[in-house]
Amino acid sequence: SGYVPQRLNAVLDGCGFDLEIPYGNDMIFEAVKADKKRKGDSIDLIVPERIGSCRTVTLTMDELEWLLA
């Protein structure tokens, strides 16, 4: 749940990583549209579920744009 992201952020921050994203959602969406892993109108995203576990989620570009809005 919320514990893992907080823990991960604390570890990364403690190691000196900048955790701010210097790009807006529009710029991120434009970059994704040009991504070579995109298949037509969809893209596969790797989504971390918990430490040591991820899953692949396929989203349409409309779904991704909605999520970034």
Side-chain angles (χ1 to χ4, degrees), residues 22-50:
Y23 309 104
N25 289 349
D26 290 341
M27 288 182 72
I28 293 170
F29 186 67
E30 289 302 315
V32 169
K33 288 192 327 188
D35 193 299
K36 64 183 177 186
K37 293 181 291 298
R38 192 173 137 214
K39 300 176 209 159
D41 190 43
S42 66
I43 189 164
D44 292 335
L45 303 176
I46 306 301
V47 179
E49 293 184 304
R50 60 187 178 278

mmCIF file of all heavy atoms in Angstrom, residues 22-50:
data_model
loop_
_atom_site.group_PDB
_atom_site.id
_atom_site.type_symbol
_atom_site.label_atom_id
_atom_site.label_comp_id
_atom_site.label_asym_id
_atom_site.label_seq_id
_atom_site.Cartn_x
_atom_site.Cartn_y
_atom_site.Cartn_z
ATOM 1 N N PRO A 22 10.868 16.965 -13.597
ATOM 2 C CA PRO A 22 10.906 18.314 -14.177
ATOM 3 C C PRO A 22 10.070 18.465 -15.454
ATOM 4 O O PRO A 22 10.227 19.442 -16.171
ATOM 5 C CB PRO A 22 12.394 18.512 -14.477
ATOM 6 C CG PRO A 22 12.888 17.142 -14.768
ATOM 7 C CD PRO A 22 12.089 16.227 -13.864
ATOM 8 N N TYR A 23 9.195 17.515 -15.740
ATOM 9 C CA TYR A 23 8.408 17.547 -16.969
ATOM 10 C C TYR A 23 6.928 17.525 -16.626
ATOM 11 O O TYR A 23 6.499 16.854 -15.696
ATOM 12 C CB TYR A 23 8.725 16.346 -17.864
ATOM 13 C CG TYR A 23 10.196 16.152 -18.098
ATOM 14 C CD1 TYR A 23 10.901 15.152 -17.449
ATOM 15 C CD2 TYR A 23 10.884 16.994 -18.956
ATOM 16 C CE1 TYR A 23 12.257 14.984 -17.654
ATOM 17 C CE2 TYR A 23 12.246 16.835 -19.170
ATOM 18 C CZ TYR A 23 12.921 15.832 -18.509
ATOM 19 O OH TYR A 23 14.261 15.683 -18.714
ATOM 20 N N GLY A 24 6.147 18.210 -17.431
ATOM 21 C CA GLY A 24 4.702 18.178 -17.260
ATOM 22 C C GLY A 24 4.105 16.948 -17.918
ATOM 23 O O GLY A 24 4.750 16.257 -18.707
ATOM 24 N N ASN A 25 2.848 16.676 -17.588
ATOM 25 C CA ASN A 25 2.167 15.508 -18.146
ATOM 26 C C ASN A 25 2.085 15.558 -19.663
ATOM 27 O O ASN A 25 2.169 14.526 -20.327
ATOM 28 C CB ASN A 25 0.780 15.375 -17.532
ATOM 29 C CG ASN A 25 0.839 14.955 -16.084
ATOM 30 O OD1 ASN A 25 1.889 14.563 -15.584
ATOM 31 N ND2 ASN A 25 -0.271 15.047 -15.387
ATOM 32 N N ASP A 26 1.924 16.759 -20.231
ATOM 33 C CA ASP A 26 1.867 16.875 -21.696
ATOM 34 C C ASP A 26 3.173 16.424 -22.333
ATOM 35 O O ASP A 26 3.170 15.702 -23.338
ATOM 36 C CB ASP A 26 1.569 18.315 -22.115
ATOM 37 C CG ASP A 26 0.147 18.732 -21.783
ATOM 38 O OD1 ASP A 26 -0.696 17.845 -21.568
ATOM 39 O OD2 ASP A 26 -0.112 19.945 -21.754
ATOM 40 N N MET A 27 4.298 16.826 -21.738
ATOM 41 C CA MET A 27 5.604 16.430 -22.289
ATOM 42 C C MET A 27 5.815 14.919 -22.148
ATOM 43 O O MET A 27 6.358 14.279 -23.042
ATOM 44 C CB MET A 27 6.724 17.185 -21.579
ATOM 45 C CG MET A 27 6.790 18.650 -21.952
ATOM 46 S SD MET A 27 8.161 19.488 -21.131
ATOM 47 C CE MET A 27 9.547 18.798 -22.022
ATOM 48 N N ILE A 28 5.368 14.364 -21.040
ATOM 49 C CA ILE A 28 5.497 12.915 -20.830
ATOM 50 C C ILE A 28 4.668 12.165 -21.870
ATOM 51 O O ILE A 28 5.132 11.200 -22.488
ATOM 52 C CB ILE A 28 5.092 12.524 -19.398
ATOM 53 C CG1 ILE A 28 6.099 13.105 -18.398
ATOM 54 C CG2 ILE A 28 4.981 11.013 -19.250
ATOM 55 C CD1 ILE A 28 5.689 12.989 -16.955
ATOM 56 N N PHE A 29 3.442 12.619 -22.098
ATOM 57 C CA PHE A 29 2.573 11.953 -23.079
ATOM 58 C C PHE A 29 3.170 12.035 -24.485
ATOM 59 O O PHE A 29 3.146 11.047 -25.232
ATOM 60 C CB PHE A 29 1.165 12.545 -23.043
ATOM 61 C CG PHE A 29 0.198 11.820 -23.918
ATOM 62 C CD1 PHE A 29 -0.185 10.516 -23.619
ATOM 63 C CD2 PHE A 29 -0.328 12.410 -25.047
ATOM 64 C CE1 PHE A 29 -1.069 9.824 -24.429
ATOM 65 C CE2 PHE A 29 -1.210 11.733 -25.869
ATOM 66 C CZ PHE A 29 -1.584 10.446 -25.556
ATOM 67 N N GLU A 30 3.717 13.172 -24.857
ATOM 68 C CA GLU A 30 4.345 13.310 -26.175
ATOM 69 C C GLU A 30 5.527 12.354 -26.327
ATOM 70 O O GLU A 30 5.717 11.755 -27.389
ATOM 71 C CB GLU A 30 4.785 14.749 -26.422
ATOM 72 C CG GLU A 30 3.628 15.715 -26.632
ATOM 73 C CD GLU A 30 2.724 15.332 -27.797
ATOM 74 O OE1 GLU A 30 3.248 14.992 -28.868
ATOM 75 O OE2 GLU A 30 1.491 15.372 -27.616
ATOM 76 N N ALA A 31 6.297 12.187 -25.267
ATOM 77 C CA ALA A 31 7.435 11.256 -25.314
ATOM 78 C C ALA A 31 6.949 9.820 -25.453
ATOM 79 O O ALA A 31 7.523 9.027 -26.216
ATOM 80 C CB ALA A 31 8.297 11.421 -24.063
ATOM 81 N N VAL A 32 5.882 9.471 -24.749
ATOM 82 C CA VAL A 32 5.342 8.117 -24.835
ATOM 83 C C VAL A 32 4.816 7.843 -26.247
ATOM 84 O O VAL A 32 4.986 6.745 -26.775
ATOM 85 C CB VAL A 32 4.233 7.902 -23.784
ATOM 86 C CG1 VAL A 32 3.488 6.604 -24.021
ATOM 87 C CG2 VAL A 32 4.824 7.914 -22.378
ATOM 88 N N LYS A 33 4.198 8.833 -26.868
ATOM 89 C CA LYS A 33 3.676 8.635 -28.228
ATOM 90 C C LYS A 33 4.795 8.292 -29.207
ATOM 91 O O LYS A 33 4.564 7.604 -30.193
ATOM 92 C CB LYS A 33 2.928 9.882 -28.708
ATOM 93 C CG LYS A 33 1.606 10.063 -28.011
ATOM 94 C CD LYS A 33 0.674 11.107 -28.607
ATOM 95 C CE LYS A 33 1.267 12.296 -29.223
ATOM 96 N NZ LYS A 33 0.292 13.333 -29.607
ATOM 97 N N ALA A 34 6.015 8.735 -28.917
ATOM 98 C CA ALA A 34 7.153 8.463 -29.806
ATOM 99 C C ALA A 34 7.934 7.219 -29.390
ATOM 100 O O ALA A 34 8.897 6.846 -30.045
ATOM 101 C CB ALA A 34 8.088 9.668 -29.824
ATOM 102 N N ASP A 35 7.520 6.567 -28.313
ATOM 103 C CA ASP A 35 8.257 5.419 -27.777
ATOM 104 C C ASP A 35 8.204 4.241 -28.740
ATOM 105 O O ASP A 35 7.145 3.882 -29.245
ATOM 106 C CB ASP A 35 7.659 5.014 -26.424
ATOM 107 C CG ASP A 35 8.545 4.043 -25.672
ATOM 108 O OD1 ASP A 35 8.800 2.938 -26.194
ATOM 109 O OD2 ASP A 35 8.988 4.386 -24.568
ATOM 110 N N LYS A 36 9.353 3.609 -28.978
ATOM 111 C CA LYS A 36 9.415 2.490 -29.929
ATOM 112 C C LYS A 36 8.726 1.233 -29.404
ATOM 113 O O LYS A 36 8.431 0.332 -30.167
ATOM 114 C CB LYS A 36 10.874 2.178 -30.277
ATOM 115 C CG LYS A 36 11.703 1.699 -29.110
ATOM 116 C CD LYS A 36 13.147 1.474 -29.518
ATOM 117 C CE LYS A 36 13.972 1.070 -28.310
ATOM 118 N NZ LYS A 36 15.369 0.979 -28.617
ATOM 119 N N LYS A 37 8.448 1.168 -28.102
ATOM 120 C CA LYS A 37 7.750 0.004 -27.552
ATOM 121 C C LYS A 37 6.235 0.096 -27.737
ATOM 122 O O LYS A 37 5.514 -0.844 -27.430
ATOM 123 C CB LYS A 37 8.088 -0.154 -26.065
ATOM 124 C CG LYS A 37 9.552 -0.525 -25.820
ATOM 125 C CD LYS A 37 9.857 -0.692 -24.357
ATOM 126 C CE LYS A 37 9.811 0.569 -23.569
ATOM 127 N NZ LYS A 37 10.740 1.625 -23.891
ATOM 128 N N ARG A 38 5.795 1.222 -28.248
ATOM 129 C CA ARG A 38 4.369 1.411 -28.482
ATOM 130 C C ARG A 38 3.927 0.526 -29.638
ATOM 131 O O ARG A 38 4.623 0.390 -30.626
ATOM 132 C CB ARG A 38 4.117 2.884 -28.815
ATOM 133 C CG ARG A 38 2.678 3.237 -28.789
ATOM 134 C CD ARG A 38 2.519 4.730 -28.957
ATOM 135 N NE ARG A 38 1.412 4.891 -29.882
ATOM 136 C CZ ARG A 38 1.301 5.830 -30.764
ATOM 137 N NH1 ARG A 38 2.225 6.745 -30.887
ATOM 138 N NH2 ARG A 38 0.260 5.886 -31.549
ATOM 139 N N LYS A 39 2.759 -0.089 -29.479
ATOM 140 C CA LYS A 39 2.206 -0.954 -30.518
ATOM 141 C C LYS A 39 0.899 -0.345 -31.002
ATOM 142 O O LYS A 39 -0.129 -0.488 -30.345
ATOM 143 C CB LYS A 39 1.946 -2.347 -29.971
ATOM 144 C CG LYS A 39 3.163 -3.057 -29.452
ATOM 145 C CD LYS A 39 2.748 -4.387 -28.856
ATOM 146 C CE LYS A 39 3.704 -4.765 -27.766
ATOM 147 N NZ LYS A 39 3.160 -5.715 -26.831
ATOM 148 N N GLY A 40 0.943 0.368 -32.124
ATOM 149 C CA GLY A 40 -0.278 0.981 -32.643
ATOM 150 C C GLY A 40 -0.847 1.980 -31.652
ATOM 151 O O GLY A 40 -0.201 2.947 -31.297
ATOM 152 N N ASP A 41 -2.052 1.690 -31.176
ATOM 153 C CA ASP A 41 -2.728 2.596 -30.254
ATOM 154 C C ASP A 41 -2.601 2.154 -28.802
ATOM 155 O O ASP A 41 -3.396 2.539 -27.948
ATOM 156 C CB ASP A 41 -4.209 2.723 -30.629
ATOM 157 C CG ASP A 41 -4.900 3.840 -29.865
ATOM 158 O OD1 ASP A 41 -4.298 4.923 -29.729
ATOM 159 O OD2 ASP A 41 -6.040 3.625 -29.398
ATOM 160 N N SER A 42 -1.607 1.325 -28.493
ATOM 161 C CA SER A 42 -1.431 0.899 -27.108
ATOM 162 C C SER A 42 0.056 0.845 -26.756
ATOM 163 O O SER A 42 0.920 0.870 -27.623
ATOM 164 C CB SER A 42 -2.073 -0.470 -26.877
ATOM 165 O OG SER A 42 -1.396 -1.472 -27.612
ATOM 166 N N ILE A 43 0.309 0.798 -25.457
ATOM 167 C CA ILE A 43 1.680 0.690 -24.967
ATOM 168 C C ILE A 43 1.672 -0.186 -23.717
ATOM 169 O O ILE A 43 0.715 -0.170 -22.938
ATOM 170 C CB ILE A 43 2.301 2.072 -24.668
ATOM 171 C CG1 ILE A 43 3.797 1.922 -24.370
ATOM 172 C CG2 ILE A 43 1.559 2.789 -23.556
ATOM 173 C CD1 ILE A 43 4.573 3.209 -24.447
ATOM 174 N N ASP A 44 2.717 -0.989 -23.573
ATOM 175 C CA ASP A 44 2.881 -1.822 -22.380
ATOM 176 C C ASP A 44 3.695 -1.054 -21.349
ATOM 177 O O ASP A 44 4.761 -0.530 -21.656
ATOM 178 C CB ASP A 44 3.607 -3.131 -22.720
ATOM 179 C CG ASP A 44 2.774 -4.040 -23.589
ATOM 180 O OD1 ASP A 44 1.529 -3.930 -23.551
ATOM 181 O OD2 ASP A 44 3.355 -4.864 -24.314
ATOM 182 N N LEU A 45 3.183 -0.974 -20.129
ATOM 183 C CA LEU A 45 3.878 -0.326 -19.025
ATOM 184 C C LEU A 45 4.220 -1.362 -17.967
ATOM 185 O O LEU A 45 3.438 -2.286 -17.721
ATOM 186 C CB LEU A 45 3.000 0.763 -18.393
ATOM 187 C CG LEU A 45 2.511 1.870 -19.314
ATOM 188 C CD1 LEU A 45 1.579 2.804 -18.542
ATOM 189 C CD2 LEU A 45 3.677 2.635 -19.889
ATOM 190 N N ILE A 46 5.372 -1.225 -17.369
ATOM 191 C CA ILE A 46 5.764 -2.082 -16.254
ATOM 192 C C ILE A 46 5.380 -1.345 -14.976
ATOM 193 O O ILE A 46 5.850 -0.238 -14.722
ATOM 194 C CB ILE A 46 7.275 -2.383 -16.267
ATOM 195 C CG1 ILE A 46 7.693 -2.954 -17.617
ATOM 196 C CG2 ILE A 46 7.655 -3.306 -15.111
ATOM 197 C CD1 ILE A 46 6.982 -4.222 -18.022
ATOM 198 N N VAL A 47 4.508 -1.971 -14.183
ATOM 199 C CA VAL A 47 3.974 -1.336 -12.986
ATOM 200 C C VAL A 47 4.451 -2.088 -11.744
ATOM 201 O O VAL A 47 4.132 -3.266 -11.564
ATOM 202 C CB VAL A 47 2.428 -1.320 -13.023
ATOM 203 C CG1 VAL A 47 1.857 -0.680 -11.767
ATOM 204 C CG2 VAL A 47 1.940 -0.618 -14.275
ATOM 205 N N PRO A 48 5.244 -1.435 -10.890
ATOM 206 C CA PRO A 48 5.658 -2.079 -9.639
ATOM 207 C C PRO A 48 4.443 -2.272 -8.729
ATOM 208 O O PRO A 48 3.643 -1.355 -8.552
ATOM 209 C CB PRO A 48 6.641 -1.089 -9.013
ATOM 210 C CG PRO A 48 6.985 -0.116 -10.092
ATOM 211 C CD PRO A 48 5.843 -0.110 -11.045
ATOM 212 N N GLU A 49 4.310 -3.482 -8.182
ATOM 213 C CA GLU A 49 3.215 -3.763 -7.253
ATOM 214 C C GLU A 49 3.699 -3.710 -5.813
ATOM 215 O O GLU A 49 3.007 -3.245 -4.933
ATOM 216 C CB GLU A 49 2.610 -5.126 -7.550
ATOM 217 C CG GLU A 49 1.899 -5.170 -8.881
ATOM 218 C CD GLU A 49 1.219 -6.484 -9.117
ATOM 219 O OE1 GLU A 49 1.897 -7.535 -9.052
ATOM 220 O OE2 GLU A 49 0.006 -6.472 -9.350
ATOM 221 N N ARG A 50 4.876 -4.254 -5.595
ATOM 222 C CA ARG A 50 5.512 -4.243 -4.273
ATOM 223 C C ARG A 50 6.990 -4.513 -4.520
ATOM 224 O O ARG A 50 7.388 -4.812 -5.645
ATOM 225 C CB ARG A 50 4.888 -5.270 -3.340
ATOM 226 C CG ARG A 50 4.992 -6.687 -3.821
ATOM 227 C CD ARG A 50 4.207 -7.650 -2.932
ATOM 228 N NE ARG A 50 4.277 -8.994 -3.447
ATOM 229 C CZ ARG A 50 3.521 -9.472 -4.420
ATOM 230 N NH1 ARG A 50 2.613 -8.714 -4.987
ATOM 231 N NH2 ARG A 50 3.662 -10.710 -4.838
#
